[in-house]
Amino acid sequence: MVFEKASTRTRVSFEAGMYQMGGSVIHLTTGDSQLGRAEPIEDTARVISRMVDLVMIRTFEQSKIERFAQYSRVPVINGLTNEYHPCQILADIFTFAEHRGSIAGRTVAWIGDANNVAYTWLQAARLLGFKLHVSTPPGYRLDPRLAPPGEYYEVFDDPLRAARDVDLVTTDVWTSMGFEAENEQRRQAFAPWCVDANLMGSASADALFMHCLPAHRGEEVSAEVIDGRQSVVWDEAENRLHVQKALMEYLLLGLEVQ
Ligand code: CP
Ligand code: NVA
């Protein structure tokens, strides 16, 4: 596991999961490895992948993990980049399925920042046949290079309209890791994009609420919503463990395990 950004859930779920399956893990960060001293990512990939069976990386640019994967002999798992967070959305879709059945044909509202978690929800909507309603503040719109137009999503200026009658409302922090310098400016721009009881009231009566965590109560979500009856955030966090164990098993053993 290579962490170039902080983590609680991703680290603990991968580490606990690997030990539960009888394996072991090595935890590297930028500061305690030669990555922090400018060793090329390609060289790091060539070396590490001769010594381990799987690599998980949390880093900045998506291109960095792709360069690593290109030179790796073993599968490389994306543990979050600036652009995507696939392990999170695997857990989120599984959580939806546990509570409500198949997500195909359903509608999900994304309220807040056009970030890595949002872009991965968009990938999932396209792949799994559900629809995403996206509402972001002006100036923080989706990047069309990461969100090619299509039927799988619709953009709304008004977060209340985006949430109307949806099956799931989800959000994330207003300031993702790496963007801390914009914190104050974002706090002001995003203030009307708080998922509160009023916004949940616009969604379908049995809509779920999800958040990848860590959350900031009183910013992107009110305490009433995240700690309320529609919230499934603790199941969602736990499911990181289960889906990632399945992912690691699949990557190591393929379809041998049924
Ligand atoms: N949701 C998530 O990836 O959390 P961590 O940053 O704690 O790993
Ligand atoms: N969008 C957040 C997710 C943290 C799990 C970030 O990138 O910081």
Side-chain angles (χ1 to χ4, degrees):
M1 305 195 295
V2 180
F3 283 95
E4 298 212 272
K5 292 178 178 172
S7 170
T8 297
R9 279 144 289 270
T10 304
R11 178 175 178 184
V12 175
S13 54
F14 270 108
E15 192 158 337
M18 200 51 164
Y19 282 120
Q20 286 171 17
M21 295 197 295
S24 57
V25 297
I26 299 166
H27 178 256
L28 295 180
T29 65
T30 317
D32 66 17
S33 69
Q34 299 289 5
L35 279 167
R37 300 182 62 248
E39 179 165 15
I41 197 88
E42 291 83 356
D43 293 357
T44 309
R46 286 179 172 111
V47 173
I48 291 181
S49 71
R50 286 175 179 237
M51 300 174 179
V52 302
D53 299 299
L54 281 175
V55 176
M56 187 243 76
I57 306 183
R58 167 168 286 196
T59 188
F60 291 87
E61 296 80 20
Q62 176 70 17
S63 57
K64 208 165 168 185
I65 202 168
E66 286 174 8
R67 278 162 55 208
F68 190 105
Q70 203 182 334
Y71 287 88
S72 172
R73 287 184 171 185
V74 300
V76 179
I77 300 170
N78 183 345
L80 179 147
T81 60
N82 288 349
E83 291 91 338
Y84 300 111
H85 195 3
C87 294
Q88 182 66 52
I89 305 309
L90 270 184
D92 293 3
I93 305 278
F94 180 62
T95 307
F96 186 89
E98 276 190 321
H99 285 268
R100 295 283 184 268
S102 170
I103 200 163
R106 304 298 198 110
T107 307
V108 176
W110 176 268
I111 309 295
D113 191 20
N115 66 12
N116 41 14
V117 178
Y119 289 121
T120 316
W121 268 111
L122 283 167
Q123 290 183 320
R126 213 173 177 186
L127 210 61
L128 300 176
F130 63 92
K131 187 154 186 185
L132 206 68
H133 285 182
V134 180
S135 184
T136 62
Y140 297 90
R141 303 276 188 231
L142 290 170
D143 178 344
R145 288 167 302 180
L146 299 180
E151 296 280 294
Y152 62 105
Y153 77 94
E154 202 174 327
V155 172
F156 295 79
D157 290 336
D158 177 1
L160 277 174
R161 290 202 54 202
R164 190 177 294 165
D165 297 332
V166 300
D167 303 293
L168 165 66
V169 177
T170 185
T171 187
D172 187 12
V173 289
W174 291 340
T175 305
S176 285
M177 291 180 280
F179 297 85
E180 287 81 1
E182 301 173 15
N183 202 15
E184 203 34 59
Q185 189 187 329
R186 284 172 169 266
R187 228 201 278 264
Q188 288 172 25
F190 282 76
W193 273 261
C194 172
V195 178
D196 55 15
N198 185 39
L199 188 132
M200 286 305 290
S202 176
S204 156
D206 70 343
L208 299 175
F209 171 76
M210 290 191 196
H211 189 310
C212 64
L213 307 177
H216 297 99
R217 288 170 177 78
E219 292 189 15
E220 74 275 5
V221 61
S222 68
E224 194 182 8
V225 168
I226 195 169
D227 300 318
R229 63 168 184 91
Q230 289 166 284
S231 172
V232 290
V233 298
W234 313 122
D235 288 349
E236 182 187 0
E238 177 187 328
N239 281 335
R240 294 290 302 278
L241 174 71
H242 307 308
V243 299
Q244 288 164 197
K245 283 170 77 179
L247 175 64
M248 291 192 285
E249 186 183 75
Y250 174 73
L251 292 174
L252 291 171
L253 303 176
L255 296 175
E256 284 171 38
V257 175
Q258 293 290 331

